[in-house]
Amino acid sequence: ELQAPKPKKPRISGPDAKFGARIVVDLGFDDKMSDREIISLCSQLGYTYNSHRKAVQPFSSLLFTSLNGRTFTRLEGQSNAAYKRWAGTEWWTEGYERLWDRHQDNSVESTVMTCSERDMVVYLTADAEEELEELKTGDTYIIGGICDHNRYKNLCLNKAKAHKIRSARLPIGKYLANLPTRKVLTVNQVFDILVTWVETRDWEKALYAVMPKRK
Ligand code: SAH
């Protein structure tokens, strides 16, 4: 039986056109992945961009950091470096530390700024103790750009601790009783959950949109 295509959700216009938070995908894990995993990661980045592009209310910024190694080479070789034409994305060869380091020019004022910038950054990871309650405008959420088939437990958590930034996990255990509290998802799954939360302001809906209930 044929099903009618789902109607497209209209994008929001006006001052609420975007949700004023930034998503960073940290691509600083090239040395931890096999060639196949780099390829999987790059597909996940493509799906992520696609969701960003189609979002009813997209994040104000989608930034990819540490684009400098094997992931860079793979993206350059893919469809004529299509990533360079992904609208509304930003790419840094430097790590995300530049978010706060760029304010460090030795004056007292800029030191204050450095601290507050860092306070507004949250590294998302399934290994975090803290559970994400809501996304706040003005905050920056980092997703680890790695496909590691669960080899590296606490990798992103330890990176967040080393950089003295907050960390949080998605509230999976609270809403999906049949799944482990610390279930590890892919980059695009996490992005889809965040973008659906912005649209619905409802974690249950956002989580089920990506991980449908078993029939
Ligand atoms: N071993 C890696 C897992 C990579 S999964 C780690 O140390 O995190 C890819 C990324 O998706 C993670 O780095 C994290 O940013 C995000 N992610 C996956 N599952 C998550 C969850 N349950 N809560 C929050 N973020 C999650």
Side-chain angles (χ1 to χ4, degrees):
E1 210 175 304
L2 281 175
Q3 278 193 330
K6 272 193 197 164
K8 260 201 195 160
K9 286 183 204 152
R11 277 204 167 202
I12 295 173
S13 56
D16 288 334
K18 291 192 171 170
F19 184 76
R22 186 200 278 126
I23 301 293
V24 172
V25 180
D26 171 17
L27 300 176
F29 301 103
D30 280 355
D31 58 332
K32 300 270 187 300
M33 286 180 277
S34 68
D35 288 343
R36 290 182 69 100
E37 286 168 340
I38 296 265
I39 291 170
S40 298
L41 172 67
C42 290
S43 308
Q44 293 176 19
L45 302 182
Y47 300 138
T48 298
Y49 165 62
N50 217 28
S51 297
H52 178 60
R53 193 171 60 88
K54 292 189 305 193
V56 172
Q57 192 185 12
F59 290 100
S60 60
S61 163
L62 176 57
L63 167 65
F64 298 83
T65 57
S66 296
L67 181 73
N68 50 35
R70 289 158 70 219
T71 301
F72 170 67
T73 307
R74 168 75 189 169
L75 287 172
E76 281 288 309
Q78 239 181 328
S79 329
N80 224 342
Y83 78 98
K84 286 183 175 160
R85 297 177 294 280
W86 291 358
T89 62
E90 218 186 319
W91 300 81
W92 291 358
T93 50
E94 303 95 326
Y96 59 74
E97 307 91 288
R98 186 180 148 202
L99 288 169
W100 54 84
D101 281 348
R102 63 190 162 162
H103 296 300
Q104 263 169 1
D105 46 26
N106 303 324
S107 71
V108 176
E109 288 84 357
S110 67
T111 309
V112 174
M113 226 175 146
T114 300
C115 297
S116 66
E117 279 270 329
R118 201 187 290 225
D119 285 345
M120 297 177 87
V121 178
V122 182
Y123 210 125
L124 298 176
T125 170
D127 299 316
E129 278 119 63
E130 201 187 306
E131 204 168 61
L132 201 59
E133 279 171 19
E134 57 172 355
L135 303 181
K136 294 195 181 83
T137 56
D139 275 1
T140 292
Y141 299 92
I142 305 179
I143 301 175
I146 175 167
C147 170
D148 66 350
H149 297 97
N150 294 346
R151 263 197 314 284
Y152 298 106
K153 199 172 154 51
N154 295 334
L155 181 70
C156 292
L157 180 67
N158 290 339
K159 189 165 179 178
K161 283 181 177 166
H163 282 140
K164 298 191 169 63
I165 54 180
R166 287 184 283 153
S167 57
R169 59 185 156 81
L170 292 168
I172 294 177
K174 211 187 232 174
Y175 296 100
L176 306 187
N178 56 330
L179 285 183
T181 303
R182 287 161 198 276
K183 173 142 182 76
V184 182
L185 305 172
T186 63
V187 174
N188 56 294
Q189 283 178 319
V190 173
F191 184 83
D192 283 355
I193 289 168
L194 301 179
V195 103
T196 310
W197 182 87
V198 168
E199 189 186 316
T200 61
R201 304 298 155 113
D202 183 326
W203 284 118
E204 195 172 343
K205 280 188 189 143
L207 292 164
Y208 277 132
V210 172
M211 297 175 286
K213 280 181 206 173
R214 290 238 184 93
K215 297 238 171 79

